[in-house]
Amino acid sequence: MSKTTTPLNHSTTIRLEDQIHVQEAAELRETLLSEVEAGRDQFVLDLSRTTFLDSAGLGVLVTLSKRLRSVNGTATIVGASKPIRELFDLTKISPNFKWK
Amino acid sequence: MKTSFDLNINNPQQIREIRKRYYPHLVQGFGMDQLLVEASISEAILNAWKHGHRQSTDKDIRVHISFMKTRMLVRINDQGDGFDWRRYHSPNDLKHWFPRLEHIDEPGRGIVLLLRVMDVLRYNEKGNECLLMKKYQNQE
């Protein structure tokens, strides 16, 4: 997972792993929530290299979106493949995010 | 041609390793839907570990996957006390029972994913074994 932060506009870009299983989901949760704690409220989640994500990972992203909603922040997903987008659509959590 | 895998795991971190065995068959059978099917299998294993074994790594979860001629069958058995699966089932058409996932808790989210992706989702009476079935893409 790589991370780029821009302190001036409270934004952060996180590039997710190839596969997000339980362990990676736990690490991702820690990273994302610590960024929220640090005052970031504009998240860009780069899923361009992510080929697997299960509900553990989806749950982390839903948690992030809920946290951001409470501070008027946004989470934007970029680079998601068609199957990954379908997973979000099927589980009806797509509207929680902006998509590019 | 039937290919079967019997896999025992006690920790969901092992999913990353065991998936290498069945992944090629998922791609072959389900094409672009492979991700959804794989996420569903992982989900069922995660449920067994979280709710069946209460996240303990002392007991094995038995995973049996059969790639048959027209469909895939997955049976996942844990050694827990089972759960009350009936509360997630609508008396009507399960495929159309689908609340917004953000409004339901994590166990519910997993079962909803399974219901949407699989053609069949069944639990045994006790609720500690589930059976998943999905026809291959070209069999629909």
Side-chain angles (χ1 to χ4, degrees):
Chain A
M1 185 180 348
S2 63
K3 185 175 75 179
T4 312
T5 58
T6 313
L8 284 177
N9 61 4
H10 300 259
S11 74
T12 185
T13 299
I14 311 273
R15 191 173 190 209
L16 276 66
E17 306 280 346
D18 169 24
Q19 295 175 30
I20 312 291
H21 293 271
V22 175
Q23 192 169 345
E24 293 80 14
E27 289 165 6
L28 180 64
R29 181 188 176 86
E30 211 164 287
T31 301
L32 294 176
L33 295 186
S34 67
E35 289 292 306
V36 174
E37 294 298 318
R40 318 259 185 255
D41 56 13
Q42 305 297 320
F43 280 69
V44 176
L45 304 166
D46 180 351
L47 271 64
S48 59
R49 64 178 176 181
T50 302
T51 57
F52 181 81
L53 187 68
D54 62 14
S55 77
L58 292 175
V60 170
L61 299 181
V62 169
T63 299
L64 172 71
S65 72
K66 284 181 179 172
R67 289 281 183 94
L68 291 177
R69 196 180 303 159
S70 68
V71 293
N72 290 321
T74 58
T76 304
I77 293 180
V78 299
S81 66
K82 196 177 167 194
I84 291 281
R85 175 65 195 253
E86 200 179 352
L87 187 62
F88 279 78
D89 289 345
L90 194 66
T91 51
K92 298 201 172 182
I93 58 172
S94 299
N96 290 30
F97 305 93
K98 289 185 176 177
W99 295 82
K100 279 188 180 171
Chain B
M1 178 72 78
K2 180 180 162 183
T3 306
S4 297
F5 299 98
D6 282 298
L7 309 156
N8 287 340
I9 68 170
N10 59 16
N11 185 329
Q13 289 180 18
Q14 295 166 340
I15 295 174
R16 184 185 256 280
E17 198 53 40
I18 65 166
R19 75 185 285 269
K20 293 175 185 167
R21 306 269 304 273
Y22 54 76
Y23 175 80
H25 297 274
L26 296 180
V27 174
Q28 190 179 346
F30 301 106
M32 290 287 278
D33 285 344
Q34 163 272 323
L35 170 65
L36 297 174
V37 177
E38 188 179 0
S40 300
I41 296 171
S42 295
E43 190 54 48
I45 297 172
L46 275 175
N47 280 344
W49 178 69
K50 276 188 198 165
H51 309 296
H53 291 179
R54 298 181 192 279
Q55 305 194 8
S56 160
T57 53
D58 295 337
K59 302 171 195 167
D60 275 350
I61 297 161
R62 290 196 296 267
V63 181
H64 174 85
I65 306 182
S66 288
F67 294 95
M68 307 176 88
K69 194 175 176 185
T70 60
R71 65 196 67 199
M72 175 196 73
L73 283 174
V74 181
R75 192 179 291 274
I76 294 166
N77 172 272
D78 67 63
Q79 300 175 51
D81 298 328
F83 83 108
D84 184 13
W85 50 267
R86 292 166 192 81
R87 71 190 174 103
Y88 294 105
H89 278 216
S90 147
N92 300 316
D93 185 353
L94 297 179
K95 283 280 180 191
H96 293 98
W97 179 79
F98 202 89
R100 285 181 67 85
L101 290 194
E102 61 182 305
H103 295 153
I104 60 178
D105 59 6
E106 219 172 301
R109 188 184 297 148
I111 289 181
V112 169
L113 176 67
L114 292 171
L115 282 171
R116 290 294 288 181
V117 173
M118 290 294 155
D119 294 325
V120 171
L121 169 64
R122 294 275 183 275
Y123 287 89
N124 67 351
E125 190 61 27
K126 186 177 173 184
N128 72 332
E129 180 170 312
C130 73
L131 175 73
L132 316 176
M133 188 280 281
K134 188 167 176 68
K135 290 177 189 164
Y136 299 136
Q137 219 167 26
N138 57 4
Q139 300 295 326
E140 286 170 357

